[in-house]
Amino acid sequence: MQAGKAAASGDVGRPLQFTMKKGYEVLRDPHLNKSGVEDEFGLTLECSSFMKKDVVHSQQHCFLAGLVDMRYILLMSLQDRNEKLFYKVLTSDIERFMPIVYTPTVGLACQHYGLAFRRPRGLFITIHDRGHIATMLQSWPESVIKAIVVTDGERILGLGDLGCYGMGIPVGKLALYTACGGVKPHQCLPVMLDVGTDNETLLKDPLYIGLRHKRIRGQAYDDLLDEFMEAVTSRYGMNCLIQFEDFANANAFRLLHKYRNKYCTFNDDIQGTASVAVAGLLAALRITKNRLSDHTVLFQGAGEAALGIANLIVMAMQKEGVSKEEAIKRIWMVDSKGLIVKGRASLTPEKEHFAHEHCEMKNLEDIVKDIKPTVLIGVAAIGGAFTQQILQDMATFNKRPIIFALSNPTSKAECTAEQCYKYTEGRGIFASGSPFDPVTLPSGQTLYPGQGNNSYVFPGVALGVISCGLKHIGDDVFLTTAEVIAQEVSEENLQEGRLYPPLVTIQQVSLKIAVRIAKEAYRNNTASTYPQPEDLEAFIRSQVYSTDYNCFVADTYTWPEEAMKVKL
């Protein structure tokens, strides 16, 4: 509360403490901060009954260890206390720590974010802040922001509507921007657009940190998004990268189409997932010894991820010389109502694009037997959807079936790595969205399942886009990224069952992605950072965040001795 500001109606009868501090300073002062309470600048969360909530929150801590991985809590606490050390630890063993700060642990952390919450790490903007978003951005302490990850929390991983609890996703994503891509953390901003939640459990949760009403939709929602985009670019410039994350299907596609040619933006669920999936397919082609256009692809799921992957597969097939129409014919999709075919009711324009002439079918096992795909991709977050029968049938149709169980978190995976290898007799080419342990076959061979994690994509894309000042991000960027990732997979990796480079090399992979994106941007005259650096790789390396401690040197100097004399 600012000095002289009238007490709110809820504060009548309570002692007032006057302070000249405001906004971010209040939140970082333990003498003034009220934990998860929103101040007038919206820098943390909307909540009421402050002390009562904090008491309940503290009482619940004794149950925290059983609900949220304490390693996540410890790492997030370290990030709050010592950012350099946090990133040094994270990058010291990225294969070990990434699953803690991101999938699969972050999904559980989001479900219990009211308990896991320690300090605000991002900006919470509510539907009731319309008309004041520019002021809220001015309140953020950093004046230079190069990358924003924004969500409205409606479709968090495969967990659905988590409302404000979804803030763990932008925080986790941006941690990987730095750890994997070297983007400076103080130039990153996580944002939650709180428009309410339709999750009844959260609305009744005493620890829920967001607005306690149903989601606001329609024109008011669109006005909020328009104001947000305009305020961001006004404050941070047109080159500020804005990544959309975990928006529901109904909004994800239309917002991407609406903003992609106006702002520097992309949707990771659509385009990032597409890139990492296509990268896995391109690597798998080195095992199957054929072209992508020789394959028939069947998707379990027809949402953002499936449609994004399908469109990028079409682009990759076109690059092989196949027409767009022929490429589309090689792609089939199954949604909650069954096989997507022409004439079926209630198809969105995006789904209709991949509808073919065929009788309607509902059962996935029957569909697999009928279509006989060479590639089966799961992105519907239906755990166990790839049954033993389906996996055995895939092995019957194909010498080396390609099976991607990409849904997150692990509980939503369509099958495990062990199930895939077991039921395809070790011939399956497998990748997943969440990590699985190595599997030893009866022959004694040990396979290391490939994890098709978007973290192979977005950090490198962000570093490249920021470094060259790319103003608009086309799908060609994501096909280029897929090609770079696939090229970094060695023959030894393929023999081990890996379709992606080992995570320990992810920083080198991100750098190569960034350099390739920048080169193509300058070649196509779409970059805005001029003059063009003579050595692009050296220039981009110079932009990378260092996890080493800085040395602080005071600006000391002396006056002339004569001036220091006291004259009477």
Side-chain angles (χ1 to χ4, degrees):
M1 181 184 301
Q2 294 179 352
K5 184 171 181 178
S9 58
D11 290 329
V12 175
R14 293 169 53 194
L16 300 180
Q17 180 175 351
F18 291 92
T19 177
M20 295 303 294
K21 294 183 178 181
K22 60 182 182 179
Y24 193 84
E25 292 176 298
V26 173
L27 298 179
R28 287 299 187 261
D29 188 332
H31 299 295
L32 301 173
N33 185 22
K34 301 174 185 175
S35 299
V37 180
E38 178 173 349
D39 79 319
E40 65 267 36
F41 291 95
L43 289 174
T44 177
L45 318 170
E46 183 76 34
C47 202
S48 60
S49 303
F50 302 157
M51 183 58 72
K52 180 179 179 181
K53 180 189 110 18
D54 288 341
V55 169
V56 174
H57 184 278
S58 298
Q59 290 172 339
Q60 292 292 326
H61 276 171
C62 61
F63 301 110
L64 185 60
L67 295 174
V68 182
D69 193 323
M70 286 303 295
R71 294 172 299 175
Y72 176 85
I73 300 296
L74 290 171
L75 281 174
M76 292 302 102
S77 298
L78 178 59
Q79 188 179 16
D80 288 333
R81 294 194 317 273
N82 187 332
E83 198 165 59
K84 287 274 188 181
L85 182 57
F86 168 76
Y87 285 111
K88 178 67 80 173
V89 169
L90 190 53
T91 56
S92 68
D93 192 345
I94 195 72
E95 200 160 11
R96 179 183 177 190
F97 288 109
M98 185 189 290
I100 299 174
V101 299
Y102 202 60
T103 56
T105 306
V106 74
L108 183 60
C110 284
Q111 287 177 297
H112 302 284
Y113 203 69
L115 285 175
F117 179 82
R118 289 297 185 276
R119 297 176 72 181
R121 296 210 59 86
L123 188 64
F124 289 75
I125 299 173
T126 78
I127 191 75
H128 308 306
D129 295 319
R130 282 176 296 164
H132 304 282
I133 296 178
T135 302
M136 297 174 71
L137 290 174
Q138 289 287 346
S139 301
W140 190 252
E142 299 292 345
S143 59
V144 178
I145 295 294
K146 298 292 184 70
I148 290 174
V149 176
V150 59
T151 185
D152 69 355
E154 189 170 6
R155 193 204 63 83
I156 298 299
L157 300 175
L159 302 170
D161 186 351
L162 295 185
C164 265
Y165 279 3
M167 181 52 123
I169 299 298
V171 170
K173 285 271 184 180
L174 288 171
L176 297 186
Y177 265 51
T178 301
C180 303
V183 179
K184 296 178 176 67
H186 58 276
Q187 295 180 350
C188 297
L189 175 59
V191 175
M192 165 59 67
L193 299 179
D194 185 3
V195 297
T197 178
D198 292 336
N199 187 322
E200 291 292 341
T201 302
L202 293 183
L203 290 174
K204 297 173 183 177
D205 181 356
L207 297 183
Y208 181 59
I209 60 180
L211 294 177
R212 295 175 182 274
H213 57 61
K214 293 287 188 178
R215 284 187 172 271
I216 304 295
R217 305 185 185 276
Q219 191 60 48
Y221 179 91
D222 288 353
D223 290 345
L224 178 73
L225 267 293
D226 287 343
E227 183 184 347
F228 170 72
M229 299 296 283
E230 291 168 8
V232 165
T233 50
S234 176
R235 169 73 165 145
Y236 304 120
M238 292 301 296
N239 285 2
C240 182
L241 170 62
I242 306 170
Q243 176 186 323
F244 280 71
E245 186 71 27
D246 287 346
F247 284 72
N249 292 355
N251 289 320
F253 284 104
R254 69 181 189 87
L255 293 176
L256 177 61
H257 295 322
K258 182 178 182 179
Y259 295 133
R260 68 187 306 172
N261 295 320
K262 187 177 180 181
Y263 300 102
C264 178
T265 186
F266 73 97
N267 185 301
D268 187 56
D269 303 300
I270 298 172
Q271 297 161 290
T273 301
S275 186
V276 77
V278 170
L281 291 176
L282 294 178
L285 296 180
R286 290 159 57 187
I287 299 174
T288 59
K289 308 296 184 184
N290 55 10
R291 304 190 310 162
L292 187 57
S293 52
D294 294 326
H295 288 269
T296 299
V297 184
L298 176 64
F299 286 89
Q300 162 64 7
E304 298 169 45
L307 291 164
I309 297 168
N311 283 314
L312 202 62
I313 288 175
V314 169
M315 184 182 288
M317 287 184 178
Q318 285 181 278
K319 199 168 181 178
E320 293 180 342
V322 175
S323 70
K324 185 175 182 179
E325 292 72 23
E326 285 300 312
I328 290 172
K329 288 179 181 178
R330 290 165 166 77
I331 297 172
W332 296 78
M333 290 191 174
V334 177
D335 64 8
S336 60
K337 297 180 177 62
L339 187 65
I340 292 177
V341 296
K342 287 188 180 298
R344 212 191 78 181
S346 304
L347 288 180
T348 64
E350 291 83 10
K351 291 182 181 181
E352 202 165 319
H353 195 55
F354 294 97
H356 305 302
E357 293 289 351
H358 195 282
C359 62
E360 292 191 24
M361 301 180 71
K362 292 186 178 298
N363 183 271
L364 183 60
E365 289 186 358
D366 295 337
I367 293 170
V368 168
K369 287 179 181 178
D370 186 81
I371 302 298
K372 294 181 172 58
T374 57
V375 179
L376 182 61
I377 301 177
V379 281
I382 301 175
F386 296 169
T387 63
Q388 177 180 343
Q389 185 63 55
I390 287 174
L391 295 172
Q392 289 174 337
D393 286 342
M394 286 291 293
T396 301
F397 309 144
N398 307 286
K399 182 178 180 181
R400 297 302 303 270
I402 300 174
I403 297 164
F404 286 5
L406 299 181
S407 293
N408 283 313
T410 310
S411 61
K412 301 291 184 179
E414 287 75 15
C415 69
T416 66
E418 185 175 11
Q419 289 168 339
C420 174
Y421 295 136
K422 178 180 179 180
Y423 297 129
T424 63
E425 299 173 338
R427 291 184 283 117
I429 302 173
F430 179 81
S432 59
S434 289
F436 284 103
D437 292 332
V439 177
T440 301
L441 303 178
S443 63
Q445 181 186 9
T446 299
L447 297 176
Y448 298 83
Q451 185 188 355
N453 195 307
N454 290 21
S455 57
Y456 281 107
V457 175
F458 60 79
V461 168
L463 181 61
V465 167
I466 292 169
S467 297
C468 71
L470 196 62
K471 289 188 176 179
H472 306 294
I473 307 172
D475 287 333
D476 58 312
V477 168
F478 295 97
L479 183 55
T480 294
T481 299
E483 292 169 348
V484 172
I485 295 169
Q487 289 164 4
E488 292 303 303
V489 181
S490 68
E491 288 300 321
E492 182 182 352
N493 295 152
L494 293 175
Q495 291 171 9
E496 293 175 340
R498 302 180 192 266
L499 295 182
Y500 298 95
L503 276 175
V504 294
T505 67
I506 197 165
Q507 291 172 310
Q508 290 74 35
V509 173
S510 294
L511 180 65
K512 291 183 178 182
I513 290 170
V515 171
R516 178 84 172 271
I517 288 172
K519 282 182 178 177
E520 295 194 1
Y522 282 110
R523 185 168 59 246
N524 298 329
N525 296 318
T526 54
S528 66
T529 300
Y530 283 96
Q532 178 179 346
E534 292 184 10
D535 187 336
L536 261 181
E537 182 173 340
F539 171 73
I540 293 175
R541 281 186 184 277
S542 71
Q543 308 298 306
V544 170
Y545 175 72
S546 171
T547 58
D548 295 329
Y549 285 133
N550 296 325
C551 293
F552 298 99
V553 180
D555 183 13
T556 59
Y557 59 96
T558 58
W559 282 12
E561 187 176 341
E562 184 66 25
M564 294 291 289
K565 291 180 180 179
V566 178
K567 297 180 180 180
L568 299 175

